[in-house]
Amino acid sequence: MSLKVWLKMTGLAVVAAALFAGCSSTPAPVTAQPQPLRVGVAREFPPFVFRSGDAYAGAEADFARRLSIALKRPLYFVQRNFEDLIPSLLSREIDIIMAGMTITDERKVRIAFSDYYLKGALGMAVRADQAGEFSSLREVLAGAQAVGVVGGTTSEAYVRRTFPSSIRVLLLGRPSDAAYELKARRIDVYVDDTPSIAWLASSNASEIRGLFEPLDNTTSYYGWGINKDNQELLTRANAALDTWKQDGTLDSILRRWLPYLKTYR
């Protein structure tokens, strides 16, 4: 065999070996993208969560953004009516409820809750021209004809348990509806959590007054709702919350949105 032929054959062998090596190399592993954190929020529940332009604002919106960073998962807000949040969680349309929801024994039958991040109570709002007439729960119970509450909330449960049947109960879709119903004189009093009462009164300062004396036996604790079988998310959410309590993040967010509260925990 001539040297020229040998070199030609050897060159082809080298090229073939290189091509074979390239074809048989193991492809680089594809890194799985993290699943989005689907946060269930209620329609217009300031100061906890509400729409501000094209974005969500409020204490819960701030918590959700920080939690998504802590979990390294992209954030996706899912808006529902308040009474639809737990069904949406149970049907796995959302991963967590962050909507100013209070922790109750009834709700704990169906879902798990994080540690609480805020302690509060129920309060009332009345028209400014009736603030002298309705300055206490006793006066409301004696003279009011109609009361407004958001359906599916602890406020509704309290009113149906406490108010006499002679006072008509009007179910509202969101707290901001209370301002319209009070001004139109279709309700005499609105019952809700004190943070929502304060927001309503401050947004309608000339026409609505807030009564912030806590109603009897209405101490409430706010937390995040999570599926009972999602223990990993529950553990990690509680870990993030504990970190925020230690480093001041929690109080900073609550002071921003609830500056009138003297104590948060």
Side-chain angles (χ1 to χ4, degrees), residues 60-77:
E60 292 281 37
D62 285 356
F63 291 146
R65 293 185 181 97
R66 287 186 176 270
L67 183 60
S68 73
I69 293 172
L71 300 180
K72 298 180 180 180
R73 294 172 61 178
L75 177 61
Y76 182 60
F77 287 108

Side-chain angles (χ1 to χ4, degrees), residues 64-140:
R65 293 185 181 97
R66 287 186 176 270
L67 183 60
S68 73
I69 293 172
L71 300 180
K72 298 180 180 180
R73 294 172 61 178
L75 177 61
Y76 182 60
F77 287 108
V78 180
Q79 181 176 291
R80 293 287 187 270
N81 291 330
F82 192 88
E83 64 270 21
D84 295 328
L85 285 169
I86 290 180
S88 295
L89 182 68
L90 295 175
S91 63
R92 303 184 184 282
E93 298 172 30
I94 58 178
D95 301 307
I96 186 171
I97 298 171
M98 303 181 78
M101 181 171 282
T102 52
I103 302 169
T104 67
D105 290 337
E106 294 81 4
R107 288 170 178 158
K108 286 194 290 186
V109 170
R110 305 174 71 191
I111 65 174
F113 277 97
S114 68
D115 298 335
Y116 78 90
Y117 64 83
L118 175 67
K119 181 180 178 181
L122 296 181
M124 299 184 294
V126 299
R127 288 186 297 276
D129 60 8
Q130 287 191 301
E133 179 182 353
F134 297 140
S135 59
S136 68
L137 177 61
R138 179 180 58 82
E139 292 172 342
V140 167

Side-chain angles (χ1 to χ4, degrees), residues 158-201:
Y158 173 80
V159 165
R160 295 197 183 280
R161 183 177 66 248
T162 306
F163 282 43
S165 59
S166 59
I167 299 179
R168 182 170 57 90
V169 178
L170 180 63
L171 296 182
L172 309 179
R174 52 188 175 180
S176 58
D177 293 339
Y180 178 80
E181 299 297 340
L182 281 167
K183 295 173 187 178
R185 298 184 179 272
R186 279 192 279 268
I187 60 175
D188 301 305
V189 60
Y190 173 65
V191 177
D192 203 341
D193 298 317
T194 47
S196 295
I197 293 294
W199 189 277
L200 182 72

